[in-house]
């Protein structure tokens, strides 16, 4: 497998991306990335940050603020803990990336630190796990709630525990909810009384779809706490504190959570140990990308159900679920390019792409013969779009909306040193970058993970 990065003249801009999504195939997505709005270095921001750290990082609460001697120092230290947990640049300052992270909807259970298990590792000893739904949300039918909770329960199947209560209410446990968004739910670690119970903010909109917030996904997360797990800093884990949508019908418990639960309750009795999807490691030198594109000055690197987002002004390259920004986009995007003139991003999967919001289109619209099953990589450069398919490439004229005559040509004949298939292509600056990932060797410039700011 080879990477080819064709890189030419991109204008860095601070503009935030706008893309629009679709089912299957390919997609033009229109999405407003979360911004910090008017959260400048103001009093409001200070209160917001303080509140977050009190809730999730054990910053002493308001009551004791007067007793806080070096309270500024305490806040800096707690901020650093939070930044460390989320893999952000550890500055101790409430910079843009930190504020964005703090504004994401999440679980109400504190993050403490990187330990997978709740301190003291409380767990259940009983053999039969049962639960009771104490009350229901008016936003979903009783049957839908039952189904979501049952399915969430089964995510962790094969375990032992005790009677757990699921409640949608405000509920007198000294952890009040906060209205729509923010904290979605919380749960208690194994123990007497309230131990293992899970509570859901009744003011959220609960759904069984990709719309915020999918009850099954939140319940499955809370149930992990009920069993004794605490938060994981793996952004692909179910026990990651922030909410992210994942398709419920195909949901499989991620490996990080399997490791966590097995550390607590031991391996499965099944001769074949369960395995789950792993999160790609950002600086793994063997990392390959499914597709790469620029987007209004940012760069997006797609891999399975994840993507990295590289912003010119933000030193940390953020790994996210694709679904976090585009809930209806499929995983495994195969190619992507930005057409700067029309300010659109086109994404490809199999024989499909889409430039409208509603229906995916067929790649034959570009003039590909029916023998082309999928696009390996695509990039737009000076009114032309180059499509890479196996060892050949096509050139499409964006203005005439026609495939240029004389194509396909062999990749090797034009792009010397790139003889095999291309994984992903993008453009930037006036340079040409090539990576031979088959031999783990760079043919020009640098390793691919350099794009993720790895050393
Ligand atoms: Ca809430
Ligand atoms: Ca590809
Ligand atoms: Zn949680
Ligand atoms: Zn509660």
């Amino acid at each position: 497998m080879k990477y080819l990065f064709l890189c030419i003249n991109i204008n860095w801009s601070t503009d935030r991306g706008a893309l629009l999504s679709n089912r299957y195939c390919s997609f033009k997505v229109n999405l407003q990335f979360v911004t910090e709005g008017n959260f400048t270095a103001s009093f409001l921001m200070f209160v917001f940050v303080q509140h977050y750290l009190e809730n999730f990082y054990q910053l002493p609460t308001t009551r004791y603020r007067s007793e806080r001697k070096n309270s500024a120092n305490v806040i800096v230290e707690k901020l650093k803990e939070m930044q460390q947990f989320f893999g952000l640049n550890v500055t101790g300052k409430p910079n843009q990336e930190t504020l964005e992270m703090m504004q994401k909807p999440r679980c109400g259970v504190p993050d403490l630190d990187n330990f997978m298990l709740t301190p003291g590792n409380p767990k259940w000893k009983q053999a039969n796990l049962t639960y009771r739904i104490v009350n229901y949300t008016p936003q979903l039918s009783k049957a839908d709630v039952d189904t979501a909770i049952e399915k969430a329960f089964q995510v962790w199947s094969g375990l032992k525990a005790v009677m757990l209560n699921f409640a949608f209410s405000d509920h007198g446990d000294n952890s009040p909810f906060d209205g729509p968004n923010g904290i979605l739910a919380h749960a208690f670690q194994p123990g007497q009384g309230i131990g293992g119970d899970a509570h859901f903010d009744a003011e959220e909109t609960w759904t069984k779809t990709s719309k915020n917030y999918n009850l099954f996904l939140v319940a499955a997360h809370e149930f992990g706490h009920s069993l004794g797990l605490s938060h994981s800093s793996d952004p692909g884990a179910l026990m990651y504190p922030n909410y992210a949508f994942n398709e419920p019908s195909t949901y499989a418990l991620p490996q990080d959570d399997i490791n966590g639960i097995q550390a607590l309750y031991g391996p499965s009795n099944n001769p074949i140990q369960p395995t789950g999807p792993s999160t790609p490691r950002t600086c793994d030198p063997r990392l390959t990308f499914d597709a790469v594109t620029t987007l209004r000055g940012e760069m997006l690197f797609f891999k399975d159900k994840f993507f990295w987002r590289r912003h010119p002004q933000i030193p940390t390259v953020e790994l996210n679920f694709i679904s976090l920004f585009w809930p209806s986009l499929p995983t495994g995007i195969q190619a992507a390019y930005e057409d700067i003139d029309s300010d659109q991003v086109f994404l490809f999967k199999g024989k499909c792409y889409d430039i409208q919001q509603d229906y995916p289109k067929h790649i034959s619209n570009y003039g590909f013969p029916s023998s082309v099953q999928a696009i390996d990589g695509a990039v737009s450069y000076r009114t032309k779009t180059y499509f890479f398919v196996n060892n050949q490439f096509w050139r499409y004229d964006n203005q005439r909306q026609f495939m240029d005559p004389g194509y396909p040509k062999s990749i090797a004949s034009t792009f010397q040193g790139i003889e095999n298939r291309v994984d992903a292509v993008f453009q930037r600056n006036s340079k040409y970058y090539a990576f031979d990932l088959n031999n783990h060797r760079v043919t020009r410039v640098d390793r691919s993970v350099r794009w993720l700011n790895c050393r």
Side-chain angles (χ1 to χ4, degrees), residues 21 32 48 98 108 122 124 145 229 259 283 292 309 347 387 450:
S21 101
Q32 212 59 47
F48 171 75
T98 306
W124 302 105
V145 171
L229 296 182
N259 296 344
C283 292
V292 181
R309 176 183 168 200
L347 304 172
F387 291 102
R450 272 289 221 224

Side-chain angles (χ1 to χ4, degrees), residues 289-292 333-336 375-377 422-425:
F289 301 121
D290 294 339
V292 181
I333 289 162
Q334 292 172 323
I375 311 294
D376 292 335
V422 164
D423 278 346
V425 195

Side-chain angles (χ1 to χ4, degrees), residues 106 177-185 200-204 206 213:
R106 57 162 291 153
F177 287 125
D178 55 358
N181 305 312
I183 296 172
L184 306 179
F200 300 83
D201 189 342
E203 291 188 67
E204 304 301 341
W206 296 107
Y213 296 99

Side-chain angles (χ1 to χ4, degrees), residues 257-294:
D257 304 292
I258 292 175
N259 296 344
I261 203 69
Q262 291 195 340
L264 201 52
Y265 291 96
S268 153
N269 295 329
N270 199 319
I272 300 164
Q273 290 301 312
T275 55
S278 295
T279 308
R281 287 191 303 115
T282 297
C283 292
D284 183 345
R286 292 163 303 171
L287 183 66
T288 62
F289 301 121
D290 294 339
V292 181
T293 185
T294 53

